[in-house]
Structures are given as C-alpha cells and as structure tokens.
C-alpha cells in the first residue's frame, strides 16, 4: 500500500460518508467485496475459524471480525475501536422557519461542533429517513442530496464591528441554515421535499408518508491535499472516519492467521450512551455469540489487546501556548499515544510500552500527547470499552489540527503511518501484550 493510493481511497470514503449511516453503509459495501459475510442479530450464527464476518446495529455501528486459524482463546483478539459520528448540525423534527422571504431550517447542535466554521459554507443534507411505503410497512432509506442546498451567512463586519474580537454564536438563533428564498414565501413542505429526493434515489419505492428522519447538514467541499508539496490533508469528518477507514482497510488486508476485530460505534461525540454507542452492549452481544462459554470468553478477552483509534491534537503553530511544551505533536511524524492521568484516555504505562514496541517493527517512533495541566482533556471510546470488557487498551490517533471544525487537517503521511502500525498489530502474536511481572 502506498501513500497516494491510500489517501485516494480515504478521500473517496470521506466524501461518500456525510453521516454515520453512510459511513457504516460504505464499510458494509467494502467488507462484502472483501470476503466478509454479513451476520444479523436476529439469526443464529454458525461461525467457522478462518472466516470473516460483520454485523450492523441501527445503521450507525458495525463490528467486523476474523476468526483466526490460531485458536482465539489462546491468541486473543487484536481489537480496534473507532467512532462513526462527527459533530454536525442535525435537522429538527419540524424544521421549517419562514422569516422574511427566507426558509430556514431549525437545527440542533450534534456533539461539540466548532460553530464558527459552519458559516458561509456550501452545505447539503444527508441522513436516514423512516417511511411508510405502499403496503403499509415501515422502511428505512438513506438519503443524500449531494448538491449544495444550504448556507449559513455570516453577519457582515459593518453590522458587527466587534466580530473579530468578540464573536459568539447563539446556538438557537444564529445557526438555522437558509434552504430557500422566495419573495412570495412559496415554500415546499419539508417532508415533500425529502420525499421527492427519495423518489429520485429509489425510483421503485412507493413512499406513502415520511414519518421521521435523522438528517444532518454537511459540507459539500471534497477533501484535498494542501501545502506546498501536498504534505497535508484537509477534509470533513477526519475525526473519526480516518480511523474507521484505516480499521476497515487493515482488517480486510490482514489475512486470517489471527483473530481480529474492528468495532465502529456511533454517538461518541455526545457520550456513547446508546444501543449503537460504545457504552452500550453491542460488543458484549457479539462476543457472547463468538465465545458463548463465559470462562472461555474471559480468557479470550484476557489474551486480547485493544487499540482505540481517535485523532489527537497536533501542536498548532499559531497557538503554541495550548500545548504542553515538552509534548509537541507534529504532523507526518507518526501515530500519537494519548495519555491522561485521570483516565480520560485508557493508555497506561504497559499498553503504551506495548504500542511503542509494535511501532519499532516498522521503524516508527510514536509521539506522545498529554494535555496541559491547566486545561481539561477530551476523551474517547477507549476508557469505557476497557472498563466494560476488562481489556488492555491503548488510546492512539493521527495528529490533527482544527478538531471538530467543519474541516479538519492532518499530515499526508499520517494515514499510511497509522495503516502500517495497525497492520503490524493485526499480525502479531499475543505474547507481545501478555507481559509478566518480575518477582
Ligand atoms: Co473523535
């Protein structure tokens, strides 16, 4: 795998995944084309060693795994975790707001979005819609308009002279994007507007009525290289679709010698408490099917190791004071181990050492991130997954700038450096993390 090919695939994945539902549908498509079989929670499973499988939950989460030729109970699972959601504007159930000659859409703020970055962007709409169809049954359809539809205009500097010093954003009043303008206020019903798009996407569907939806605004600008020598990448939802992408690509490429598992869950940006979130029991439910005997399952988990992948803050050249001076994090320098004394990250000295040792095999020296002691630290799915399953866990991620902006940045080498690190992990035997105390 080379840098150019990997980034091309990453760009395509990012651009075709405007929402968690699309991110998961694209993983599903990819895994089906790479010899993974789809399982359903409603069925009994008949699993075979050497085979690869995946299961979806609520359109927003996916767990994929390979049952290795080496016995999983003795060799454990090489586990990867990432999240499918990103901060965004989510359309309210009754969104239409007619103001002057404009039609705006009411939005909720999903997750910890950096709101200033959403102004003056070319936005579109995508998500999931639940419809009543011809025979009276309810069906789920993914929707994506794929064209610029909306914008949130800034207020002009002449009308807000202090905007550059004191810009604050009112979440209820300032964020509703404009969908249409008509001097006679002649606007379509929002559900009728959705229905017409669904009919274009699914010409055979007989849509009677739209009952509800989960729809988000997204930026239509595609990901791109930036920098004099294309040394950086810029795009939406790098946090954390970059990790989902590397997880799915490495899992499919790793072969079936060892047992591997990728856990991509939803709702990390608002706390992970949901049926498809990392704090829910999706992973437990899958593990119970793979290893129904509780003692064997416990031994399997003891012999397993989890790499929780989520982007890390790189040192910002214009805001150096935001970084601990002894822990500068650079783009294009390799994956970052994330450390926090208060367990906001699951890394400890042992899992950190295991990860550093893995990186040695590909001659990469991982970087280390720790928050300044006078600032509060973010978190990941790492600690809750480690706590739930009793797993040895390290929290790592690619270095990035502008986390939670509508557009984020990383190094052009960083996806490949993460990919190579994860590939080594997926092909390493469990003695690498089953360490012994010196007595
Ligand atoms: Co994240």
């Amino acid at each position: 795998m080379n840098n150019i090919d990997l980034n091309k695939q990453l760009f395509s994945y990012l651009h075709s995944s405007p929402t968690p539902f699309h991110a998961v549908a694209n993983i599903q498509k990819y895994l089906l084309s790479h010899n993974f079989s789809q399982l359903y929670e409603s069925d009994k499973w008949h699993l075979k060693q050497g085979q690869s499988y995946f299961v979806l939950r609520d359109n927003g989460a996916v767990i994929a795994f390979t049952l290795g030729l080496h016995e999983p109970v003795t060799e454990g699972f090489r586990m990867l975790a990432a999240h499918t959601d990103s901060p965004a504007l989510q359309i309210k159930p009754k969104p239409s707001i007619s103001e002057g000659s404009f039609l705006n859409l009411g939005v909720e703020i999903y997750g910890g979005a950096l709101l200033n970055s959403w102004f003056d962007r070319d936005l579109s709409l995508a998500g999931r819609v639940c419809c009543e169809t011809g025979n009276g049954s309810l069906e789920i359809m993914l929707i994506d308009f794929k064209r610029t539809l909306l914008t949130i205009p800034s207020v002009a500097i002449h009308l807000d002279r202090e905007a550059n010093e004191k810009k604050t954003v009112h979440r209820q009043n300032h964020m509703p994007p404009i969908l249409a303008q008509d001097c006679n206020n002649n606007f379509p019903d929002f559900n009728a507007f959705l229905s017409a798009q669904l009919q274009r996407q699914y010409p055979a569907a007989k849509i009677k009525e739209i009952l509800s939806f989960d729809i988000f605004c997204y930026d239509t600008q595609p990901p791109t290289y930036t920098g004099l020598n294309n040394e950086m990448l810029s795009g939406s939802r790098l946090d954390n679709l970059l990790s989902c992408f590397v997880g799915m690509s490495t899992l499919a490429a790793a072969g079936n010698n060892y047992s591997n598992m990728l856990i991509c869950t939803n709702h990390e940006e608002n706390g992970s408490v949901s049926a498809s979130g990392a704090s829910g029991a999706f992973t437990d439910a899958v593990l119970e099917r793979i290893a129904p005997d509780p003692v064997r399952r416990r031994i399997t988990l003891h012999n397993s190791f989890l790499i929780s992948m989520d982007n890390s803050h790189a040192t910002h050249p214009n805001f150096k004071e935001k970084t601990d001076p002894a822990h500068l994090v650079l783009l294009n320098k390799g994956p970052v181990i994330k450390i926090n004394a208060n367990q906001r990250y699951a890394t400890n000295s042992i899992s950190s050492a295991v990860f550093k040792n893995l990186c040695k095999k590909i001659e990469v020296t991982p970087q280390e991130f720790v928050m300044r002691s006078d600032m509060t630290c973010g978190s990941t799915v790492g600690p809750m997954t480690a706590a739930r399953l009793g797993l040895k866990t390290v929290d790592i991620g690619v270095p990035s700038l502008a986390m939670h902006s509508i557009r984020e940045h990383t190094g052009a080498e960083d996806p490949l450096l993460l990919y190579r690190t994860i590939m080594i992990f997926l092909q390493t035997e469990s003695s690498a993390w089953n360490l012994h105390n010196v007595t």
Side-chain angles (χ1 to χ4, degrees):
M1 180 61 70
N2 71 52
N3 206 13
I4 308 285
D5 286 349
L6 190 74
N7 288 340
K8 197 171 160 201
Q9 290 171 32
L10 169 66
F11 285 2
S12 157
Y13 179 67
L14 287 172
H15 198 52
S16 60
S17 303
T19 74
F21 315 121
H22 294 85
V24 166
N26 286 328
I27 294 175
Q28 174 186 31
K29 210 187 295 173
Y30 184 87
L31 293 176
L32 285 172
S33 69
H34 286 80
N35 281 326
F36 283 66
S37 307
Q38 183 162 2
L39 302 166
Y40 298 88
E41 288 196 87
S42 52
D43 294 347
K44 284 197 169 160
W45 297 357
H46 304 285
L47 305 174
K48 291 200 187 93
Q49 260 181 280
Q51 302 292 308
S52 298
Y53 304 93
F54 71 94
V55 54
L56 310 185
R57 196 182 262 199
D58 192 37
N59 306 109
V62 51
I63 295 180
F65 57 92
T66 295
L67 293 180
L69 298 172
H70 289 275
E71 183 56 50
V73 73
T74 49
E75 263 304 322
F77 273 88
R78 285 124 208 83
M79 300 172 92
L80 304 169
H83 63 89
T84 58
D85 60 324
S86 303
L89 306 182
Q90 184 166 2
I91 305 299
K92 289 184 174 176
K94 296 179 191 170
S96 299
I97 309 164
S98 185
E99 196 67 65
S101 65
F102 292 109
L103 176 69
N104 292 45
L105 298 180
V107 289
E108 286 189 274
I109 314 300
Y110 180 93
L114 194 54
L115 294 177
N116 278 305
S117 67
W118 282 78
F119 287 82
D120 306 315
R121 293 278 174 171
D122 302 329
L123 305 175
S124 188
L125 294 170
R128 153 177 94 164
V129 182
C130 200
C131 308
E132 187 187 341
T133 53
N135 58 8
S137 64
L138 295 183
E139 294 195 25
I140 304 159
M141 297 180 198
L142 297 195
I143 191 168
D144 184 359
F145 283 85
K146 292 189 176 171
R147 71 181 180 95
T148 301
L149 282 169
L150 308 138
T151 191
I152 312 169
S154 294
V155 66
I157 187 80
H158 317 79
L159 308 179
D160 184 8
R161 293 281 180 197
E162 293 185 319
N164 289 332
E165 283 72 41
K166 293 188 184 166
K167 182 73 185 172
T168 54
V169 178
H170 193 290
R171 296 157 75 94
Q172 170 72 13
N173 297 342
H174 296 168
M175 295 313 294
I178 298 174
L179 175 63
Q181 192 273 334
D182 186 297
C183 295
N184 300 316
N185 281 329
N186 196 2
F187 298 121
D189 169 71
F190 187 68
N191 281 5
F193 163 71
L194 294 183
S195 201
Q197 172 64 21
L198 287 174
Q199 214 61 75
R200 279 193 288 277
Q201 285 183 233
Y202 305 91
K206 296 198 169 31
I207 300 162
K208 254 186 166 167
E209 189 188 352
I210 290 177
L211 294 173
S212 58
F213 50 77
D214 300 289
I215 291 183
F216 299 86
C217 301
Y218 71 92
D219 189 358
T220 53
Q221 188 183 351
T224 184
Y225 285 97
T226 64
L228 187 61
N229 298 306
N230 286 346
E231 62 272 30
M232 293 172 287
L233 307 180
S234 169
S236 296
R237 301 174 300 280
L238 287 171
D239 172 13
N240 193 11
L241 294 189
L242 190 158
S243 304
C244 291
F245 167 78
V246 169
M248 105 183 159
S249 313
T250 50
L251 194 73
N256 63 357
N257 261 339
Y258 292 108
S259 296
N260 299 324
M261 180 178 285
L262 169 68
I263 305 162
C264 294
T265 45
N266 200 357
H267 301 133
E268 191 272 346
E269 300 295 357
N270 50 27
S272 292
V273 183
S274 77
S276 54
S279 186
F282 187 26
T283 308
D284 310 52
V286 170
L287 286 166
E288 279 167 20
R289 303 283 195 103
I290 294 173
D293 176 67
V295 175
R296 280 177 75 85
R297 186 161 71 244
R298 191 65 255 144
I299 298 169
T300 305
L301 284 170
H302 176 82
N303 289 330
S304 301
F305 190 85
L306 170 67
I307 296 186
S308 160
M309 302 185 290
D310 204 344
N311 297 356
S312 173
H313 299 295
T315 304
H316 193 308
N318 304 354
F319 296 86
K320 280 210 285 287
E321 71 282 5
K322 301 287 183 190
T323 300
D324 183 278
H327 296 86
L328 302 186
V329 172
L330 308 181
L331 302 185
N332 291 318
K333 200 151 189 322
V336 186
I337 303 174
K338 302 193 276 185
I339 299 143
N340 179 258
N342 295 309
Q343 289 295 302
R344 301 287 292 161
Y345 302 131
T347 310
N348 62 25
S349 60
I350 297 167
S351 63
S352 172
V354 167
F355 186 74
K356 286 178 184 173
N357 214 27
L358 281 171
C359 288
K360 271 189 192 169
K361 296 191 193 176
I362 52 162
E363 293 172 0
V364 166
T365 307
Q367 311 186 72
E368 288 170 292
F369 172 83
V370 61
M371 197 56 129
R372 283 180 61 94
S373 307
D374 53 356
M375 287 168 64
T376 52
C377 188
S379 192
T380 71
V381 298
M384 65 186 73
T385 311
R388 233 197 131 86
L389 301 175
L391 280 168
K392 302 170 185 78
T393 304
V394 67
D395 259 300
I396 62 126
V398 296
S400 73
L401 293 169
M403 195 183 288
H404 291 196
S405 165
I406 196 167
R407 223 167 154 78
E408 303 172 321
H409 319 278
T410 188
E413 302 278 339
D414 286 312
L416 185 61
L417 287 164
L418 181 64
Y419 179 96
R420 290 175 55 217
T421 310
I422 299 300
M423 276 305 282
I424 285 293
F425 169 57
L426 298 182
Q427 296 170 326
T428 295
E429 65 176 48
S430 63
S431 58
W433 47 86
N434 278 333
L435 312 186
H436 296 286
N437 290 303
V438 177
T439 50

